[in-house]
Amino acid sequence: MSRLEEHFRDALDARGLEIDEPTRRLAVDLARLLIRASGASVRERERHTLDGALAARTALPPGARDALLDLALSPRFRAAVSPGELLAFGGRFGAEAQDRLADEQAEELDLTGFAERYGTEASLLLLDALFQVASADGRIEPREARVLEASAASLGIDGVLVSALFQKYDPRHAAGDLNWDLTKERISVGRAGGNDVVLPDPQVARHHCDLVHDPTGWRVVDVGSGRPVLVDGQPVIQAMLSEGNKIQLGPWRLQVVEEDGQWKVHAFGHRSFTSLSVSDVTRHIGEICLLDQVRFTVFSGEVVALVGPSGAGKTTLINAISGIAPADEGRCWLDGQDFHGILQADRTAVGLVPQEDLVHPTLKVAESLQYAGKLRLPADVDLAELRGTVDRVLAELGIDHIRDSRIGDALKRGISGGQRKRVNLAQELLTRSTRVLFLDEPTSGLDPRSAQDIARLVRQLADDGRIVFLVTHDLTPGIMAQCDHLLVLAAGGRVAWYGPPQEACAYFGVDSPDLIFSVLSEQGPEEWKTTYRDSMGHRKYVATREHLLRPTEGTQSDDQAERRKSKRPSLVSQFKTLTHRYFRRKMRDQTGVLVMVAQPLLLALTTWIVFPVPTDAMVFMFTLSCLWFGMSSAVREMISDRAIWRRERKVGVGVTPYVGSKVAVLGLLVTLECVAFTAMVYYLVGMSAGGYDFPQLAGVASLTGLSGMALGLLISSVMTSSEAAVGMLPLLLVPMICFSSIMVPLRHMEKPAQALSWIFIERYAFEAALKTGDQLQKVARGDGKWEEQPLNGTLYTLGLKSVDAEDMGLPMRVLIGVVVAFTLGCLMLTWIVIWRRDRT
């Protein structure tokens, strides 16, 4: 028991007051530390403020508080004894008295000891009381601010919470309006207390920049802190300042002005404290643990670098937080509300930028963003507003100069790799509602300079008020300088560290963050998890934030969710956008267009050369060609943009508009191919002589092509690679040829073969095409000349009708009905496959 507590207990006994020991001890430690940490700023006239702080944080009655303050403010207990004063005391009163005084001082807690004894909640209460005492005059002076920041560090309270307390107790910080007189030629600006202009916010570097005055005026100079310095939104190393220029440092904007002959700097800033809390997120697959009670809280404006060895659960954690694959246990909260509940109403609250560049290479940059905007922005956004949004994002990411450039890919070069990364990111920034960004290896594959540019861009996106998660294996100083926290996952998804990169180095005992991987193998994953849970870092960066931001149960109200949902583009609007984009992409593919034009021409010429007159074999090749047009055009289409579709699905694009856009564009192109092919074959071969009706023949050809297209889309929805999908074509076409009756008449087939012939669409298309005319020709047996054969004779020869003269096989309406039903059935199966793939 300390001497102050002993005297306080005696004072309580004298007044007849009974206070339990834990409350008495907490009150004594709070009073002493409040007074000593505040130093000379605590005066007798501030006794009322001290009394209010004790009343709010302890259960002491008024009489007990008066007794405690009388003692704590007395000369004997008010100030701690410094080492120099202790030596002077020993020289005056002897070594024995000096030792007794030293022992008495050792019994008293310092701020660090207070935090260790009482924990997170009491530490926050003490710091809050210190701010209340320091702001007794209505504002916090620079010297007091430095004391408060030092006290917060000793208590293990991180800087974001300190910023919140500055806003709470200093009206200037609450209003985001600070002013300083510029009385020197060089003014330092930063977070640390030794700067001329102090901006107490973790997003501001300790020494962020300098303001330098020379004969030409004021200029801002980046001092190499690693954090960006922006002038009117553009990053600079140094720049001259003119009237109206705004300097952005984290959430603060500075402006140098001259007022009444005196240069001043005005600082405007108000930090947003949007918070994302991850609470004990756990995920297993069988007996394998992927995530093990992951806990942390991140504020808006912060960049979290997510690192760990392969298989540590980085992607699993992102999927769990973003709702792609929710965890088995645990919750995620955004500002106290269920984060996944928010995402169900509005997926645009999250932006997920994968490692690969999911952009259409044939589109121009601005075109790609306009289409993305139409799919993401509310339905009531008009074209002018959409273009303004695209302009804003292009300017924000510094790619306005390439707006009309083709994106390109590895086969046909367009913009650079770093620029493609920015376009990829730009799609997620079109909606201002994007509050949380996940970036998966955005610097992979880039040269060092481009990687640094991307990292600085990520920093700027966070400074604008977003929460950014950066999955990376690049722990070089340049990248880490842009990050506020390092989240290190050991094997099995166990948190080995969460906190600033600089403190992580001290925690792991390495010189730089990139050496952390080398020490992770020194302990087992479970040991790393336990060690961190017991560390100061966990208490400072996890426990204090959790205590301050306890989530409230519940999600958005039904009305809020409905309002968000109603803003989404309708399915009709999505269909129009997807169809227009897909048609433009197809037309930009010059090789594909050339093949599309050449196919009917070359096959028509081949048919004419081989079949100078219409025969049953010619009609068969005619329908088989139409089937090929449809299948070949669609067999890769669901695979080529599957990754892009998955990304757009996450922001609410429907399966029906997606499949419908493919059907609309491919259906139009295939129909044009089939009609052109029909016209050329019809006139080259002279099918009119056989009584063939061109509109009917073109209709059958188009339906056959559409059935092939539907079958191709089904194949591409099922297959996982283009090679496998293309490999399916001969596996389907060869049996169609064999079972269509052109090789072997149906009556000559065995019963199993006859039964199988009914399931192949080519049989029905072939028979339908035959029945659009009256007669064909065949080679006479004697002299090899062509001779006419009535249609019923051809059908009998192929086995498509019986010997009965009145029997003409399946009616035309049945044949057309089967082709239509087959087409619709394949499209329905395609929709189901894509829907199920999306669900899983």
Side-chain angles (χ1 to χ4, degrees):
M1 182 182 298
S2 68
R3 300 294 295 275
L4 176 57
E5 187 178 348
E6 289 180 5
H7 283 72
F8 180 45
R9 183 192 58 188
D10 295 340
L12 291 175
D13 291 341
R15 297 189 182 203
L17 297 173
E18 293 186 6
I19 305 296
D20 61 273
E21 183 178 350
T23 301
R24 188 178 65 235
R25 176 172 294 182
L26 174 61
V28 167
D29 290 334
L30 273 173
R32 182 176 57 246
L33 291 173
L34 273 172
I35 295 169
R36 291 187 178 179
S38 301
S41 64
V42 177
R43 297 176 291 274
E44 290 290 348
R45 65 184 178 85
E46 294 171 328
R47 183 184 179 109
H48 178 72
T49 302
L50 287 169
D51 181 74
L54 284 175
R57 292 155 184 84
T58 67
L60 292 181
R65 296 199 304 271
D66 287 339
L68 177 57
L69 289 176
D70 286 340
L71 288 169
L73 288 170
S74 65
R76 179 174 183 178
F77 298 108
R78 177 169 178 167
V81 178
S82 68
E85 292 171 335
L86 189 62
L87 288 174
F89 180 83
R92 177 69 176 83
F93 297 102
E96 185 177 351
Q98 178 181 348
D99 291 340
R100 287 198 305 270
L101 181 59
D103 291 341
E104 182 179 327
Q105 293 291 311
E107 293 176 356
E108 297 181 351
L109 287 178
D110 58 8
L111 292 171
T112 301
F114 181 90
E116 292 174 352
R117 173 180 291 183
Y118 294 107
T120 299
E121 182 175 359
S123 298
L124 284 170
L125 291 174
L126 174 56
L127 185 63
D128 186 78
L130 287 172
F131 268 86
Q132 183 178 352
V133 171
S135 62
D137 293 333
R139 57 188 295 168
I140 300 175
E141 300 299 332
R143 185 192 64 80
E144 295 169 331
R146 290 193 290 271
V147 172
L148 292 171
E149 289 180 339
S151 300
S154 299
L155 288 168
I157 309 298
D158 73 297
V160 173
L161 303 185
V162 176
S163 299
L165 291 172
F166 270 109
Q167 289 191 13
K168 177 180 178 180
Y169 285 106
D170 191 328
R172 298 171 302 164
H173 287 269
D177 189 1
L178 299 172
N179 298 278
W180 291 267
D181 291 333
L182 302 181
T183 58
K184 300 191 299 185
E185 297 298 313
R186 192 177 191 96
I187 303 294
S188 60
V189 183
R191 183 181 76 245
N195 290 288
D196 300 302
V197 174
V198 179
L199 303 173
D201 191 283
Q203 285 179 247
V204 179
R206 294 187 59 82
H207 182 193
H208 205 122
C209 67
D210 284 342
L211 298 174
V212 180
H213 188 257
D214 56 34
T216 60
W218 286 94
R219 56 190 171 91
V220 61
V221 179
D222 186 340
V223 296
S225 67
R227 295 297 177 98
V229 177
L230 281 70
V231 175
D232 293 339
Q234 298 299 317
V236 299
I237 301 301
Q238 63 174 329
M240 292 300 302
L241 300 175
S242 58
E243 185 177 357
N245 286 152
K246 288 184 173 60
I247 308 166
Q248 182 174 347
L249 311 177
W252 289 88
R253 286 172 173 79
L254 280 63
Q255 193 169 12
V256 176
V257 298
E258 186 177 13
E259 296 179 356
D260 300 326
Q262 173 65 51
W263 286 104
K264 295 179 180 289
V265 59
H266 293 324
F268 309 91
H270 189 90
R271 201 185 210 286
S272 171
F273 290 97
T274 295
S275 62
L276 176 66
S277 296
V278 176
S279 178
D280 290 329
V281 167
T282 302
R283 181 123 194 254
H284 292 85
I285 293 183
E287 298 297 323
I288 301 175
C289 179
L290 302 180
L291 296 174
D292 188 5
Q293 294 183 315
V294 177
R295 295 171 57 191
F296 64 89
T297 298
V298 57
F299 287 104
S300 58
E302 291 187 328
V303 178
V304 178
L306 180 55
V307 303
S310 298
K314 299 185 293 295
T315 301
T316 305
L317 179 59
I318 285 179
N319 291 341
I321 298 173
S322 62
I324 296 175
D328 302 327
E329 300 175 15
R331 301 290 291 274
C332 297
W333 309 93
L334 185 67
D335 288 342
Q337 292 185 322
D338 180 22
F339 187 41
H340 294 158
I342 294 174
L343 294 181
Q344 288 177 3
D346 184 10
R347 287 295 312 180
T348 62
V350 161
L352 183 58
V353 183
Q355 181 176 348
E356 61 271 22
D357 297 328
L358 301 184
V359 287
H360 294 290
T362 55
L363 297 178
K364 297 178 181 178
V365 171
E367 289 176 348
S368 178
L369 295 182
Q370 285 180 9
Y371 285 125
K374 289 180 179 179
L375 296 174
R376 286 167 167 80
L377 296 175
D380 56 357
V381 174
D382 57 26
L383 183 58
E385 188 175 354
L386 171 62
R387 289 174 176 171
T389 299
V390 171
D391 292 342
R392 171 183 62 81
V393 173
L394 290 173
E396 186 176 5
L397 297 181
I399 52 175
D400 186 69
H401 61 289
I402 60 167
R403 61 183 304 123
D404 295 322
S405 299
R406 183 181 185 274
I407 294 175
D409 53 17
L411 298 177
K412 189 172 182 180
R413 295 289 295 173
I415 59 179
S416 69
Q419 290 168 337
R420 270 199 305 275
K421 295 285 185 184
R422 297 188 182 217
V423 175
N424 200 24
L425 176 57
Q427 298 181 65
E428 303 299 334
L429 301 180
L430 290 166
T431 54
R432 292 188 181 273
S433 59
T434 302
R435 303 163 72 181
V436 184
L437 272 176
F438 296 93
L439 282 72
D440 190 0
E441 292 283 356
T443 61
S444 65
L446 300 180
D447 61 87
R449 179 173 180 178
S450 296
Q452 293 281 353
D453 290 341
I454 293 294
R456 281 191 287 269
L457 175 61
V458 169
R459 177 72 260 165
Q460 292 172 221
L461 295 176
D463 288 343
D464 286 336
R466 300 179 182 92
I467 295 171
V468 181
F469 288 87
L470 178 67
V471 180
T472 183
H473 288 96
D474 188 351
L475 302 184
T476 55
I479 302 297
M480 290 296 99
Q482 312 302 328
C483 299
D484 298 284
H485 294 286
L486 195 62
L487 176 57
V488 181
L489 289 180
R494 296 170 173 90
V495 177
W497 171 261
Y498 177 74
Q502 300 81 5
E503 296 186 31
C505 294
Y507 177 79
F508 287 103
V510 296
D511 295 329
S512 61
D514 56 314
L515 299 176
I516 290 176
F517 287 109
S518 63
V519 301
L520 281 179
S521 59
E522 295 178 1
Q523 294 183 180
E526 189 63 35
E527 190 174 357
W528 278 119
K529 171 189 171 183
T530 304
T531 302
Y532 177 65
R533 285 285 177 102
D534 296 335
S535 70
M536 168 69 81
H538 183 271
R539 179 160 59 84
K540 184 175 182 180
Y541 298 109
V542 178
T544 56
R545 294 186 174 200
E546 285 181 349
H547 176 78
L548 195 68
L549 301 167
R550 287 176 178 159
T552 57
E553 289 289 344
T555 61
Q556 292 178 312
S557 68
D558 293 338
D559 290 341
Q560 289 175 313
E562 189 61 34
R563 282 197 299 270
R564 284 184 177 272
K565 288 181 180 179
S566 65
K567 292 181 179 180
R568 295 178 181 175
S570 65
L571 295 181
V572 174
S573 175
Q574 291 178 7
F575 170 73
K576 291 180 180 178
T577 300
L578 291 171
T579 301
H580 191 273
R581 183 180 69 181
Y582 185 44
F583 182 77
R584 176 168 285 182
R585 285 174 50 215
K586 297 295 287 185
M587 293 300 99
R588 291 271 176 84
D589 182 4
Q590 297 178 356
T591 302
V593 171
L594 180 62
V595 170
M596 193 184 309
V597 172
Q599 275 192 141
L601 175 62
L602 294 177
L603 291 181
L605 290 175
T606 301
T607 302
W608 174 54
I609 293 171
V610 175
F611 304 101
V613 294
T615 66
D616 54 359
M618 187 277 296
V619 175
F620 171 78
M621 290 304 300
F622 171 82
T623 54
L624 187 68
S625 297
C626 293
L627 193 68
W628 166 260
F629 293 155
M631 293 179 67
S632 63
S633 67
V635 77
R636 291 182 293 263
E637 295 306 296
M638 295 294 187
I639 300 172
S640 60
D641 61 357
R642 181 171 292 164
I644 297 177
W645 150 246
R646 286 174 175 169
R647 180 179 186 178
E648 293 178 339
R649 178 64 176 152
K650 293 183 179 71
V651 297
V653 177
V655 177
T656 301
Y658 174 65
V659 176
S661 67
K662 301 289 187 183
V663 173
V665 175
L666 292 176
L668 173 63
L669 297 178
V670 169
T671 299
L672 291 176
E673 278 191 285
C674 291
V675 171
F677 180 62
T678 303
M680 286 184 281
V681 170
Y682 187 85
Y683 291 106
L684 287 174
V685 180
M687 298 186 70
S688 59
Y692 278 84
D693 182 74
F694 176 78
Q696 288 188 32
L697 185 62
V700 171
S702 298
L703 285 176
T704 304
L706 292 176
S707 66
M709 175 205 70
L711 182 58
L713 288 176
L714 178 59
I715 294 171
S716 66
S717 67
V718 173
M719 296 292 113
T720 57
S721 68
S722 296
E723 292 78 9
V726 173
M728 285 294 296
L729 291 180
L731 295 181
L732 293 173
L733 289 175
V734 170
M736 286 186 185
I737 295 173
C738 295
F739 289 99
S740 63
S741 77
I742 193 66
M743 304 287 290
V744 178
L746 291 181
R747 70 169 57 88
H748 296 161
M749 292 183 183
E750 299 293 336
K751 294 297 182 182
Q754 290 182 10
L756 285 173
S757 68
W758 292 99
I759 67 175
F760 291 101
I761 193 63
E762 170 61 14
R763 169 187 169 163
Y764 300 96
F766 176 38
E767 187 173 350
L770 288 172
K771 292 179 177 179
T772 61
D774 298 327
Q775 62 183 20
L776 292 170
Q777 296 194 35
K778 66 175 184 177
V779 178
R781 291 186 177 182
D783 54 10
K785 294 182 179 180
W786 296 102
E787 64 179 22
E788 294 180 355
Q789 182 182 34
L791 180 61
N792 59 354
T794 300
L795 294 175
Y796 176 77
T797 302
L798 295 171
L800 297 176
K801 68 180 291 294
S802 65
V803 69
D804 187 356
E806 301 297 326
D807 179 24
M808 291 295 291
L810 294 175
M812 188 68 163
R813 63 178 180 278
V814 173
L815 296 172
I816 296 300
V818 170
V819 175
V820 171
F822 177 85
T823 303
L824 295 178
C826 286
L827 293 179
M828 180 59 69
L829 288 175
T830 301
W831 190 97
I832 293 173
V833 169
I834 294 175
W835 179 79
R836 287 182 59 84
R837 190 188 294 274
D838 172 66
R839 299 271 298 196
T840 57

